Amino acid sequence: MAVEEKEMPWVGRSVKRKEDDRFVRGGGNYLDDIRLPNMLHMAILRSPFAHARIEAIDTSAAEAVGGVVAVVTGELLAQHKLAWMPTLSGDTQAVLATDKVRFQGQEVACVVATDPYVAHDALELIDVEYEPLPVIVDPKKAVEDGAPVIRDDKEDQKDNRIYHWEAGDKASTDRAFSEAEVVVALDTHYPRSHPAPLECCGCIADVNPATSKTTIYMTSQAPHAIRTVFALVTGLPEQNIQIISPDIGGGFGNKVPVYPGYVVATAASLLIGQPVKWIEDRTGNLASTGFARDFHMHGELALKRDGTMLGLRVGMLSDQGYAYADAQPSKFKAGLFHVVTGSYDMPAAHVVTDGAYTNKAPGGVAYRCSFRITEASFLIERLVQNAAYELGMEPVELRRKNFVRPEQFPYTSVTGFVYDSGEYAKALDVALEKSGYEQLRAEQERLRAEGRLLGIGVASFTEAVGAGPSRDYDILGIKMFDSAELRIHPTGKAILKLGVKSQGQGHETTFAQIVAGELGIPPEDVTVQEGDTDNTPYGLGTYASRSTPTGGAATAVVARKIREKAKQIAAHTLEVSADDLEWEGDRFYVKGAPEQAATIQDIAFAAYTNHPQGMEAGLEGVTYYDPPNLTYPFGTYVVAVEVDAQTGEWKVRKVVAVDDCGVRINPMIVEGQIMGGLTEGFAMSAMQQITFDEDGNCMGSNFIDYLLPTAWETPAFELHATVTPSPHHPIGAKGVGESATVGSPAAFANAVVDALAHLGVRNIDMPLTSGKVWEAMQQARSS
Amino acid sequence: MFPRSFDYLAPESLDDALSMLAEHGEDAKVLAGGQSLIPLMKLRFAAPDYIIDINRITGLGSVHENGSLSVGALVRTHDIERSELIRRRYPAMAAAAPLISDPLVRNLGTVVGSLCHADPQGDWASVMLAMNADIVCRNGAAERRIPVSEFVQGPFTTTLDPTEIATEVDIPDPGADTFGTYMKLERKVGDFASVGVAVHLSFDGRKVERAGIGLTAVGPANIKATEAEQLLAGAELDGGTIARAADLCAEAADPHSDLRGSADYKRAMVRVFVSRALNAAAAGKAA
Ligand SMILES: Cc1cc2nc3c(=O)[nH]c(=O)nc-3n(C[C@H](O)[C@H](O)[C@H](O)COP(=O)(O)OP(=O)(O)OC[C@H]3O[C@@H](n4cnc5c(N)ncnc54)[C@H](O)[C@@H]3O)c2cc1C
């Protein structure tokens, strides 16, 4: 008989999301819902040019408009040493341009007014004289000798190169290639995309002139880190800064960095003495805030004829725009891109990465991915499919032959990762069976004979998420631990305060379930508080699938500490020795006398009313959790598409996703994350890109050009799970928020390429628009 | 959205609207469904001093036949999508309506407004070119009829006077035996066309009596494929004729390359869609 939902343990139960009640009733509290007394409104003037010298800015006409309180320019900020600010990668970025504008959409001036309409009207009256300069949009051209230097504001910068970073070992990789019987190469561009959260960025800065207390309501995924950065940038004492992230309408990495609007609004509030609200519009969001990807990748895989992988060689040039503004661990210049050996037992690998400045918006953030893992996963999974064609092998058999095997874990990869656990072949097998893979292949044969194009694409991805162990992971020097503070109230209810910050991931439910699992306090009795730096312990925030691996682990650990204390209290109230007590779900009972028991609620009451002499009263604790390792979720996705041989359009027939993220705390929430990620993976492969013309005009700055899929075109997803617990996480969980964005683009691209593989097609860069698919077919037919 | 400030006028009769327009001329814009005008105002690409909202004027909202089909200036795309009369008698219109954007836009956007807006990616102009429709306009008390083929001039340009209001689009009787369709290549549901093809045929027995073909998004304005229309008039739909007509349409197209695809691709898609449409018509005849 099936276990009744209500008898199931709390961890593993699809509890309905506690937060949805307020969201579905329109009762959320988003940034733009907040209105403070005497609040002013700020609007940003952006550069129409991608590269130009600013000759003069005349703000007099704008200042004369009734209702305009201030017009802020870079020159004014420079007087306060605020014209430039650090990025999260240790580079600098202009708050408001002083010398030059370096991308189209760059912030040039701000108007602060009593009304947002007035602010926008006044923007039009600011007269900026620009002297256009040559524009560089191609990173390959940017790094050529003699290219105009974009960051001439930086004294030591003599070219457009940002970083050069290598991982793995060149000598052993060269050896592997010299021994190879087959070498397969792939050049591909992972296009610039954008997280495009439905809520754009914004803030309300409220500097109280009487107390100097600075409260900033902000759409931030990482409020604590932002507070510290603000203290460092502005010189304000950190105890006077309070960052409050209210409900956030999606982040996906876009809301990790510090943006110019935040800084100007704060400076304006400080100077004016009134709260200043800045709400970004869609074009501002798409054209100026953290983009993602934009990696030009070259991969080579060395194999034996029998399919054994010998080595991997990767070269990558990253188009960073005009500032290196990734939010990523400082030790790794191209994020965790070097996890590019993927799910395979690769004897040798050498990864060479370079970053280049171009006249584009700065970035790039990890859009729903753990620091550039998306690009890595895409490259290896595309390469493996092409290698299979070259070898005449079935692509899934080539994968299976080279998977890291279960007995090899913990597995140290040649680029320096220690994979915690995995059963890659098992996930693959489930995916093959559930998708009817063999039948699909047979159908493909049959349809090809009729001239119809069915393609089947597979991706067997592995991620490295949950940064991170402090020995390797920090952002601007701040170690990437995370924290939990748990307070049990006398009535047995609890509040859990975390350093991470939900943007829709369901933290209020998932983390309450962890508490419930450890202490037996039902999730509805546990309030989860996040986002207010005055009222939560320090943490690095939510991105890179890190909340459950770090904040979730901290929650379990702090709950266990509290359980230990609860045991002492129970021993006192039950008048037995603590050694005679046994824990069961939500109570301690006396061994051999189960009717003598104290529930967690009894114990909580006693902690404040009848605690043992010599023990501190109360039942609460704080934990800072430094994970011993990353977690390594994995899975296999199978996608089948049919391509229209005349138009190049493709329709998804089937998507089967098998995810292994270890123990699933709330399977429904996990599935929601996977469906969202698959939707975004589909979008990136099918339709999304931000391109620029040769003058640096951004061609993706609204939703007519930058496409978001709707329920109409998004395919149906069939989800399955295998469960391989993380051996080092307190409850065996791994991160999952990004698995599907990381793993699925290659599966979609592989499927479309597979449909045309018999024609000789080996690559179509994302997005695989019908036009590009058609061109690929034309070329194949004519060659 | 933060448009520039403007005065909002809401006349209750066509005469009032026309006199307001006569007074303000180029400083005023007529507001019908607002689905093109308001996005332009949001971007401040359009910044009229006066908005003349015609939505309160009675008598502009009907679709009726009286020798020809009259579609009034306030008939929404949604009305066309739901009309039984249109489904029965004007299949090209019925096919186009649900392919225009999403229900929110269709509930407000008007057919006539789409023609006045003259976006080369607009779908209605191609349908109306294929159906040989006329636009009826009023300027003060004066009324004139303009064939859609002359009305639409170039991107966002028509022969409409700044003081004129288009009151209806008038579509000739298609006859009893007709075929019509609209085919649209889009990047996602609700997208503007990468390529669109409207085909309308009136038959006399097995022979095509009159053919109309309009092309969307493959030129500076919607294109009427007159050579293909002439080839088809009086012909039977055999394989050779269909291929020739499709070629003529591809030649009539004048697309440019962009992120949606190369000019070659778009031209090829015109050929594919025209031949798919004509083959469907031929199959209907054969059945
Ligand atoms: C998101 C989105 C997607 C869209 N997708 C498509 C699509 O796929 N295909 C497509 O064809 N269209 C599309 N449209 C445009 C839509 O169909 C518009 O509704 C239509 O083009 C204009 O009709 P309207 O009634 O909204 O006109 P309005 O926006 O009110 O007016 C447009 C212009 O025509 C003028 N005008 C309107 N009516 C008259 C009149 N009676 N006399 C004189 N001048 C007049 C106005 O002054 C204005 O200059 C889309 C619009 C949006 C917002």
Side-chain angles (χ1 to χ4, degrees), chain A residues 116-117 120-121 124 644 646-647 649 687 689 691 699 704-705 707-710 712-713 770-771 774-775, chain B residues 1-5 43-44 185-189 191-192 259-262 264-265 268-269 272-273 276:
Chain A
Y117 289 88
H120 281 86
D121 285 346
E124 286 193 294
D644 184 320
Q646 286 183 308
T647 66
E649 292 170 287
M687 59 184 79
Q689 63 183 333
T691 58
M699 317 279 277
I704 296 239
D705 297 321
L707 304 178
L708 298 194
T710 65
W712 278 106
E713 48 276 321
S770 59
W774 182 85
E775 299 293 342
Chain B
M1 98 171 218
F2 300 100
R4 216 174 285 164
S5 64
L43 296 169
R44 299 193 173 207
L185 181 73
E186 48 186 14
R187 299 166 302 175
K188 59 171 259 190
V189 176
D191 187 20
F192 279 96
L259 291 173
R260 293 167 178 268
S262 65
D264 284 350
Y265 173 59
M269 291 310 102
V272 168
F273 285 169
R276 281 182 182 177

Side-chain angles (χ1 to χ4, degrees), chain A residues 17 147 247 350 362 488 653 683:
Chain A
R17 300 201 336 163
D247 285 330
H350 187 222
I488 317 295
R653 274 258 215 109

Side-chain angles (χ1 to χ4, degrees), chain A residues 704, chain B residues 29-39 54 73 77 99-102 105 108-110 112-114 116-117 121-124 160 164-167 184 190-193:
Chain A
I704 296 239
Chain B
K29 274 279 176 200
V30 169
L31 178 83
Q35 297 304 293
S36 295
L37 181 57
I38 290 176
I54 60 172
T77 294
L99 295 179
I100 293 174
S101 192
D102 52 38
V105 170
L108 284 168
T110 63
V112 171
S114 173
C116 292
H117 186 57
Q121 285 183 300
D123 298 302
W124 279 126
L160 196 73
E164 245 173 345
I165 290 179
T167 53
K184 182 171 174 179
D191 187 20
F192 279 96

Side-chain angles (χ1 to χ4, degrees), chain A residues 312-341:
Chain A
L312 176 68
R313 207 182 254 158
V314 172
M316 185 282 287
L317 178 62
S318 168
D319 182 343
Q320 298 284 161
Y322 99 95
Y324 177 39
D326 294 38
Q328 68 188 11
S330 53
K331 183 169 173 181
F332 305 109
K333 296 302 166 203
L336 304 188
F337 179 67
H338 54 299
V339 76
V340 64
T341 57

